[in-house]
Amino acid sequence: GSGNPVKREATERAVAAADGFGDDAVVEACPVPSGIPEQPFGHAETRTGAVNRADAVLGEGYDLGVGIEGGVAEHASGDDLFLVMWAAVADDERVGIGSGPSLPLPVSIAERVRDGQELGPVMDDVLGESDVAKRQGAAGALTGGRVERTDALRTAVAGALGPFVTELY
């Protein structure tokens, strides 16, 4: 459900690691709308964007739709703002949901996002780079490269693949 190369690679890694998908599985980038604001706020909105993207991909004629959405969310115990990521995998019968790590945003970045700026451009500005979201992402920057954005998103997709790769669901 995205043209972002990091999201495509995350999906490829999750599918490659999953039993039940043959070597002939092909992951294609298919940009579709999320149906939510450009900067998702809260777990519910971010998760909805992932589900919307997965469903929209199915509408394009694919066997499985994968939607990945990054957003920000407050933690119930305080005023901290966190980077969050959700993934959804859907076919015509079911939807699997998974999330990646939640990482606290520095106060200066959180304030800018709360003031209405999108996290991606804020990270570009803070780092003095462009298209951070298509490379290390905020996850990589906030952890000094210890959590690569691709791996964080792969974890979310792998969790969403659960109903498709195990009989436990």
Side-chain angles (χ1 to χ4, degrees):
S2 174
N4 186 313
V6 173
K7 292 181 178 182
R8 179 177 183 204
E9 184 178 345
T11 302
E12 287 175 338
R13 288 183 189 180
V15 169
D19 291 334
F21 293 101
D23 292 335
D24 59 342
V26 177
V27 175
E28 293 184 19
C30 179
V32 295
S34 67
I36 61 169
E38 198 65 33
Q39 177 58 70
F41 200 97
H43 286 285
E45 190 168 75
T46 308
R47 180 180 163 172
T48 295
V51 172
N52 289 350
R53 287 182 190 276
D55 287 343
V57 169
L58 283 179
E60 297 291 325
Y62 291 95
D63 296 327
L64 281 179
V66 177
I68 301 171
E69 196 69 48
V72 296
E74 293 174 330
H75 191 275
S77 68
D79 294 331
D80 296 334
L81 195 62
F82 286 78
L83 167 67
V84 298
M85 50 206 81
W86 284 91
V89 176
D91 65 11
D92 290 328
E93 299 173 9
R94 59 199 159 176
V95 176
I97 304 291
S99 67
S102 293
L103 304 168
L105 296 178
V107 172
S108 61
I109 293 172
E111 287 173 349
R112 291 177 66 178
V113 173
R114 279 194 174 101
D115 286 342
Q117 296 182 48
E118 293 175 37
L119 181 59
V122 169
M123 294 305 298
D124 286 351
D125 181 52
V126 168
L127 298 173
E129 300 176 18
S130 59
D131 291 328
V132 170
K134 292 183 179 178
R135 294 189 318 278
Q136 68 176 333
L142 294 172
T143 63
R146 287 164 181 82
V147 175
E148 292 183 8
R149 183 170 194 231
T150 304
D151 287 335
L153 295 174
R154 180 199 52 79
T155 300
V157 174
L161 280 169
F164 300 90
V165 298
T166 179
E167 298 295 322
L168 295 172
Y169 292 89

